[in-house]
Amino acid sequence: MYVDESGDDGLVNSPTRYYVLTGLVVHELRWRAYLEEIITLRRQFRQQFQLKLREEFHAGKMLTRPGELARIAKHDRLTMIRLFADHLARLTDINLINIVVDKQGKPAGFGVFELAWKTLIQRFENTVSHHNFPGPQNADERGAIYCDHTQDKKLTNLLRQMRRFNPIPNQPMFGAGA
């Protein structure tokens, strides 16, 4: 699972109301073929829109803070985002996991980062262990998480904790407990 975040996990003076994690899940037997497809699409973008292969393709940056990408007309940047989304939708053996934390009204000290990452990891683990992702199936499925280097130490500590102690709270309709 390749994970990226949007927003920040701060509660005080934060420029964003939401903290969002998105995980793109690709089965190990499909990742190379899908990587090649994305590279082919990026080459098309280079040829058609002059987007360099090494330039980051990040929707927020392309829309609100284009920087060097301002050389590409905004309607072309929107077209690239749409083409990329349409292309991902055609890849049948991928799955997305989205976690959205609305920070509004949360008390001081509320663990936005911890809640979001724990929820993402638990959802990933449960879906892998129950063989509920689309695509090929192995007898004994495993998962790996890849993300950028935002808050490495905090995430490493959380993962170490979750390996040993990872209770999943009951839904309210089932009463207290885990």
Side-chain angles (χ1 to χ4, degrees):
M1 175 170 63
Y2 302 88
V3 181
D4 200 8
E5 61 189 350
S6 181
D8 71 273
D9 64 334
L11 291 173
V12 179
N13 296 324
S14 173
T16 63
R17 176 176 171 178
Y18 300 98
Y19 181 67
V20 180
L21 295 175
T22 297
L24 174 69
V25 182
V26 180
H27 194 278
E28 65 178 316
L29 297 175
R30 298 288 188 256
W31 79 267
R32 184 172 296 278
Y34 287 173
L35 176 62
E36 290 302 320
E37 287 194 37
I38 290 171
I39 291 170
T40 299
L41 185 63
R42 287 297 304 262
R43 286 184 176 138
Q44 176 188 334
F45 289 173
R46 180 182 61 189
Q47 182 178 357
Q48 187 174 353
F49 303 108
Q50 289 72 50
L51 179 70
K52 298 172 188 168
L53 288 176
R54 298 223 182 260
E55 287 181 303
E56 185 177 67
F57 188 87
H58 197 279
K61 182 178 177 185
M62 292 184 82
L63 296 176
T64 59
R65 297 175 308 280
E68 272 191 47
L69 296 177
R71 72 180 189 281
I72 303 170
K74 187 169 186 174
H75 69 274
D76 285 337
R77 287 182 270 138
L78 287 166
T79 299
M80 284 189 283
I81 292 168
R82 177 58 188 253
L83 290 171
F84 186 74
D86 288 345
H87 189 79
L88 283 181
R90 285 191 296 274
L91 302 178
T92 58
D93 291 344
I94 67 168
N95 200 8
L96 293 174
I97 299 175
N98 293 297
I99 305 299
V100 179
V101 178
D102 184 351
K103 301 182 297 181
Q104 189 172 28
K106 298 292 188 276
F110 183 85
V112 173
F113 180 91
E114 291 78 11
L115 173 69
W117 276 98
K118 278 184 179 182
T119 304
L120 178 84
I121 292 163
Q122 288 169 344
R123 198 169 290 168
F124 180 58
E125 171 68 21
N126 289 340
T127 308
V128 167
S129 66
H130 290 93
H131 303 276
N132 286 335
F133 284 121
Q137 302 276 317
N138 294 329
D140 185 20
E141 293 287 4
R142 308 259 182 207
I145 299 172
Y146 302 93
C147 56
D148 59 14
H149 296 289
T150 304
Q151 302 190 50
D152 283 342
K153 185 174 179 153
K154 205 172 183 180
L155 184 56
T156 298
N157 289 339
L158 181 65
L159 286 167
R160 286 179 179 157
Q161 173 199 0
M162 289 179 74
R163 279 187 222 144
R164 294 288 181 206
F165 182 73
N166 186 23
I168 301 172
N170 284 344
Q171 291 290 328
M173 68 180 126
F174 298 119

